[in-house]
Amino acid sequence: MDEREYRHDRARVEELLELAAGIAEEAGQMLLAKRPARPEVLATKSSPTDVVTALDRAAEELIRGRIAEARPHDAILGEEGGDTPGEGAVRWVVDPIDGTVNFLYGLPDWAVSIGVEVDGEIVAGAVHNVPRGELFTASKGGGAWLRGERLRCNTGVPLAKALVATGFGYAAGRRRVQAEVLAQVVPQVRDIRRGGSCAVDLCSVATGRVDAYYERGTNYWDHAAAGLIAAEAGARLGGLNGRPVGPDMALCAAPGLFEELHDLLVPLDPERD
């Protein structure tokens, strides 16, 4: 079978999901076992507060190694290791630690995220919220799951009663704009939560722990797996003004609330820096 047909073959997709989930669990267990009391910053990326630890890189190396053992011809896109071309239609999208600052400080919301593309479409995803021992999974058309329970996002929630998760960038200028936007959002919703991990926030939408999520500046590996989990739980994921989710904006909520939050954000020009 042509690998492009994986997306239409439930058994093949579930095989990919099982592999992603197993690797995400193994990487998470390694991180938990090896995390020192206060991990040292190894390097910075976009700003002095955008950090990388040695365990970010070690986790991605483990994940890449396990994928290569099982499927040596697949491509891999990783936050730390970049894009490794493959020979087929399958590509793995890896964030070894989403929520590195949480990991650094010992806060409970950080996750290993592994999504699987077939011909450019995410068909399977696993997000392991390691400190909480939660493994979220989803396959295209197969639903979203946690501990054997199928997930459903909250529906029928009006904007004024919505609990909304968000996040902030690393650059000072972007944070300033995000704070200005947030000041206009807070009076219009129930309350705001800032967890520190895009993947965990999207899974929180899927489980109904929050009603909606928006953030500017997320990367593909942040939301590749978790975006599928949220979508399979019934949420809508996108950008502003009909654009797809991307670095400019990630917005996620059940239909209805998605549009309300969208219409609140657009006049605030949240994509400016």
Side-chain angles (χ1 to χ4, degrees), residues 39-44 51-58 80 100 104:
E40 292 186 6
V41 172
L42 183 64
T44 59
V51 300
V52 180
T53 69
L55 285 172
D56 282 274
R57 294 183 178 174
E80 307 305 334
T100 301
L104 187 69

Side-chain angles (χ1 to χ4, degrees), residues 14 19 59 73 100 111 114 117 174 179 203 222 249 258:
E14 292 302 322
L19 180 58
H73 303 297
T100 301
I114 303 176
E117 284 181 353
R174 175 164 293 181
C203 289
D222 297 323
M249 183 59 63
F258 180 99

Side-chain angles (χ1 to χ4, degrees), residues 6-267:
Y6 270 29
R7 73 179 74 178
H8 305 299
D9 188 312
R10 173 59 46 204
R12 295 291 185 94
V13 170
E14 292 302 322
E15 286 177 9
L16 293 172
L17 177 58
E18 183 178 358
L19 180 58
I23 295 172
E25 283 197 296
E26 182 183 356
Q29 290 162 0
M30 181 275 287
L31 288 164
L32 205 57
K34 293 189 175 182
R35 182 190 178 277
R38 180 60 65 89
E40 292 186 6
V41 172
L42 183 64
T44 59
K45 293 182 281 189
S46 64
S47 82
T49 56
D50 187 4
V51 300
V52 180
T53 69
L55 285 172
D56 282 274
R57 294 183 178 174
E60 185 163 321
E61 288 172 6
L62 184 155
I63 294 166
R64 285 176 176 270
R66 294 293 183 265
I67 294 169
E69 289 171 7
R71 298 185 56 86
H73 303 297
D74 289 353
I76 303 173
L77 172 64
E79 180 178 14
E80 307 305 334
D83 202 353
T84 302
E87 299 176 9
V90 177
R91 183 171 73 155
W92 299 72
V93 184
V94 175
D95 191 340
I97 305 177
D98 187 53
T100 301
V101 174
N102 285 352
F103 176 76
L104 187 69
Y105 278 81
L107 293 168
D109 284 323
W110 52 270
V112 179
S113 175
I114 303 176
V116 190
E117 284 181 353
V118 176
D119 199 25
E121 178 184 11
I122 295 289
V123 299
V127 173
H128 183 195
N129 184 337
V130 181
R132 299 187 187 277
E134 295 182 330
L135 180 65
F136 300 87
T137 61
S139 58
K140 187 76 173 179
W145 301 84
L146 172 63
R147 300 193 187 106
E149 179 181 350
R150 186 158 187 171
L151 301 179
R152 298 288 186 187
C153 69
N154 295 335
T155 59
V157 179
L159 184 65
K161 294 185 178 179
L163 185 62
V164 180
T166 192
F168 303 98
Y170 294 105
R174 175 164 293 181
R175 287 173 181 267
R176 186 176 302 111
V177 171
Q178 288 172 322
E180 291 171 1
V181 171
L182 186 62
Q184 300 300 311
V185 171
V186 170
Q188 306 299 323
V189 301
R190 179 189 295 274
D191 206 347
I192 295 291
R193 293 292 181 268
R194 196 282 199 256
S197 164
C198 170
V200 173
D201 283 342
L202 287 168
C203 289
S204 293
V205 174
T207 59
R209 293 171 181 170
V210 298
D211 300 304
Y213 162 75
Y214 79 93
E215 185 171 354
R216 170 159 166 73
T218 62
N219 294 299
Y220 185 41
W221 45 75
D222 297 323
H223 57 73
L228 178 65
I229 292 166
E232 286 293 322
R236 179 179 172 187
L237 177 67
L240 298 184
N241 299 311
R243 297 193 299 272
V245 61
D248 289 338
M249 183 59 63
L251 174 58
C252 184
L257 179 56
F258 180 99
E259 287 77 13
E260 282 195 83
L261 182 56
H262 173 278
D263 292 347
L264 171 62
L265 289 171
V266 168

